[in-house]
Amino acid sequence: MQEPDIICIVGPTASGKSSLAIQIAGDLGGEIISADSMQVYRHMDIGTAKPSLKEQGEIRHHLIDVAEPDENFNASNFRKLASAAIKEIRSRGKRVIVAGGTGLYIRALTKGLVDTPSGDPLLRQRLKDEADRLGREHLHNKLRELDPSAAKAIHPNNSVRIIRAIEVATNSGKTMSEHQRQHSFADSPYNVIMFGIDIERDLLYDRINERVDKMIEAGLKKEVERLLAMGYSRDLKSMRSVGYKEMCAHIIDGLAIEEAVELIKRDSRRYAKRQMTWFRKEDVTWGTAGRLKKLAEDGMHK
């Protein structure tokens, strides 16, 4: 088997991806590229479960803290920066380990991006106004009429992706699903092996609940208060992510802390389920962390 250019470690939140990636990178003489859509943001450390400074000191990590919370960072930005990092890492004779749970980022890096029309600010604002007035479900229903396949794939609460899909269908005369089918993510510049951590659901949910409790103990509330004091609005894409939106509801709206914590746990479990749905459709070799570690070591010629 041809030696892979990169090893990807994927799976749901709290499954142990970062720990496994660090072990594999240490064994193989590698460096890690984080494929996490939240770890790219500076000042957002606790709620994004970034690797500790000690862990980052032991194994070099890339694409952590590369954007401000109010920057519009997307899969295209990730692909550009990650591709440059891969080139740089390999130029030094190091192995490349990509680890993270943002499926679209990993797909963009390994299979390319769909070439869709540029944005339409006026239409986008009109759709945002509709969502504010009539609710996200209204937008999701509108998308279902335009592009049933996209509506099925996009969660009703993900207004950013819903609006983008409506925008593409409206302005190009071709649905997002059609664009994706024609492209088929065919631009694959790397030889990739993708490992997914397979973990029993109840154990995963226990880990998620425990992680959230540790985030609260570590000062998630203070982190969010600091972000708000720095002028970062709760309406930002980064601040609407799991952990931050619920804590904003506690700080700004007076939601009881106990309710906020339970919502973070619930929303994290739901996010993990969506991640698993995504990765089950990819070409992933599944196994326990121990088995995957051995497969990675056996598959790379040291």
Side-chain angles (χ1 to χ4, degrees), residues 211-237:
R211 171 183 276 188
V212 173
D213 288 336
K214 287 182 177 178
M215 286 178 176
I216 300 301
E217 293 172 9
L220 178 59
K221 178 179 178 179
K222 288 185 178 180
E223 179 170 274
V224 177
E225 287 175 335
R226 184 168 62 251
L227 286 161
L228 292 169
M230 292 171 71
Y232 294 116
S233 166
R234 70 186 299 181
D235 296 324
L236 291 172
K237 176 183 173 183

Side-chain angles (χ1 to χ4, degrees), residues 247-302:
M247 199 52 67
C248 282
H250 165 61
I251 295 167
I252 299 172
D253 302 330
L255 180 70
I257 185 63
E258 295 82 7
E259 290 184 55
V261 170
E262 288 306 310
L263 284 175
I264 295 172
K265 292 178 178 178
R266 183 201 69 182
D267 292 345
S268 296
R269 293 192 297 268
R270 290 179 175 176
Y271 177 54
K273 186 176 180 181
R274 294 196 299 274
Q275 287 176 300
M276 287 304 299
T277 299
W278 176 287
F279 288 121
R280 291 294 184 192
K281 297 176 183 177
E282 302 293 299
D283 184 16
V284 177
T285 297
W286 295 94
T288 63
R291 175 173 180 267
L292 296 178
K293 181 173 180 290
K294 186 175 188 306
L295 286 174
E297 293 165 354
D298 291 345
M300 302 295 279
H301 305 295
K302 300 172 72 173

Side-chain angles (χ1 to χ4, degrees), residues 199-216:
I199 181 171
E200 196 270 328
R201 187 179 66 178
D202 288 343
L203 175 58
L204 176 64
Y205 286 179
D206 286 343
R207 285 190 184 182
I208 288 172
N209 294 339
E210 182 179 356
R211 171 183 276 188
V212 173
D213 288 336
K214 287 182 177 178
M215 286 178 176
I216 300 301

